[in-house]
Amino acid sequence: EAGASVLLLRTCLVLLAFPIYLLSFLGVWEPFCRKVFFPFILDKIALIHDKKSKKHKLELFRNLPDFRSPSGELRLLEIGTGSGSNFQFYPSGCKVTCTDINPNFQESLTKNMKKNQHLHYERFLVAAGEDLRQVPSGSVDVVVGTLVLCSVQSVSSTLREVQRVLRPGGAFYFLEHVAAEHSSWKYFWQQVCFPTWKLIFAGCCLTRELWKNLEEAKFSELKVQHISLALPWTPIESHIVGYGVK
């Protein structure tokens, strides 16, 4: 019953978004999405999401200084940095390396770097979360990823890389949107929107149960909190926030 409704509504969405499917088939959509559409739309979504998540991020990043290395430095690697909306939450003097698979956020990234002069920006790497080979093993105290595990190709490979680059005792901080409760209307709409959403929003998956991947990643200590942050006019509401210690 539900399965048939999902398929029917999915088909309607595909028809509505047909021009995008066509452009994708012709190989035009992906480069346009990466260069123009996604950075533009992400800026707009980030503004709304940042407002709603601010108190959770303040709470989440409050204990970052606890993970300074014995030398007193805090070396932080952010995966999927995007426009750099997390910079404001990092402690003074923190040494930041930014990575993103998409190099087209430069304009808003530069703006956020100028706003947050309390940090040392080490370098910007164009890299996928699953392949951080430019970062030496055990070389960072903290890895941060917010709204990034939804769109990596492989969550488990990304978490393996995160653990590789962390020094023992270092921590991975996350805030991610996840699948809604299976019996809920939100989950029904996530199922309906899934293929079209993934295509339009650069590989973003609506129904990942990321807390399970984090549990399987064998952190020595893992804090996960389920919270609700509704993004208006979207099927996104359920989120997880927390950190894992290597």
Side-chain angles (χ1 to χ4, degrees):
E1 169 74 18
S5 317
V6 166
L7 279 177
L8 179 67
L9 288 164
R10 262 188 193 181
T11 310
C12 296
L13 259 188
V14 169
L15 291 171
L16 279 172
F18 184 71
I20 293 175
Y21 278 90
L22 185 62
L23 289 172
S24 173
F25 177 72
L26 297 171
V28 180
W29 173 252
E30 277 77 4
F32 169 77
C33 180
R34 251 205 326 274
K35 262 194 132 74
V36 182
F37 176 76
F38 196 58
F40 170 78
I41 204 80
L42 203 69
D43 262 0
K44 305 285 171 270
I45 292 175
L47 282 174
I48 302 167
H49 197 277
D50 288 347
K51 269 203 190 84
K52 289 185 171 255
S53 62
K54 187 162 189 174
K55 70 171 204 286
H56 295 289
K57 284 187 178 178
L58 281 166
E59 179 64 28
L60 172 66
F61 293 129
R62 211 178 49 192
N63 67 345
L64 271 178
D66 297 355
F67 291 99
R68 287 182 195 281
S69 56
S71 67
E73 275 189 344
L74 183 65
R75 296 156 306 172
L76 185 149
L77 170 78
E78 181 163 358
I79 52 173
T81 307
S83 61
S85 61
N86 289 328
F87 294 161
Q88 56 182 309
F89 303 106
Y90 300 158
S92 237
C94 179
K95 295 188 166 178
V96 181
T97 298
C98 306
T99 72
D100 205 294
I101 197 168
N102 186 346
N104 298 298
F105 292 101
Q106 288 305 348
E107 197 180 320
S108 41
L109 184 67
T110 309
K111 202 164 70 185
N112 269 326
M113 284 177 161
K114 284 203 180 105
K115 257 193 226 162
N116 293 282
Q117 306 254 325
H118 64 293
L119 306 174
H120 297 294
Y121 299 102
E122 304 262 84
R123 51 188 183 147
F124 180 89
L125 308 172
V126 178
E130 300 91 331
D131 180 9
L132 301 169
R133 71 180 78 169
Q134 295 153 281
V135 183
S137 300
S139 66
V140 298
D141 304 303
V142 167
V143 177
V144 173
T146 60
L147 303 185
V148 67
L149 293 179
C150 58
S151 53
V152 294
Q153 298 271 323
S154 160
V155 178
S156 52
S157 309
T158 301
L159 292 176
R160 265 200 302 279
E161 275 292 78
V162 162
Q163 291 196 324
R164 179 186 67 76
V165 302
L166 278 174
R167 64 164 174 82
F172 171 53
Y173 284 74
F174 54 85
L175 187 155
E176 298 285 348
H177 68 84
V178 291
E181 196 52 56
H182 282 210
S183 57
S184 67
W185 270 110
K186 271 282 191 236
Y187 186 70
F188 174 80
W189 285 111
Q190 287 180 338
Q191 298 275 85
V192 169
C193 297
F194 186 94
T196 301
W197 184 276
K198 191 176 178 188
L199 173 67
I200 294 176
F201 295 106
C204 170
C205 297
L206 289 168
T207 54
R208 286 187 173 168
E209 300 181 329
L210 295 167
W211 62 92
K212 294 181 179 173
N213 301 91
L214 286 156
E215 281 158 14
E216 282 159 15
K218 301 278 186 278
F219 285 97
S220 67
E221 182 190 337
L222 181 64
K223 301 239 187 298
V224 183
Q225 193 188 352
H226 289 256
I227 59 170
S228 176
L229 290 176
L231 280 187
W233 305 102
T234 76
I236 291 177
E237 186 174 333
S238 305
H239 284 67
I240 53 168
V241 59
Y243 64 93
V245 180
K246 177 172 169 176

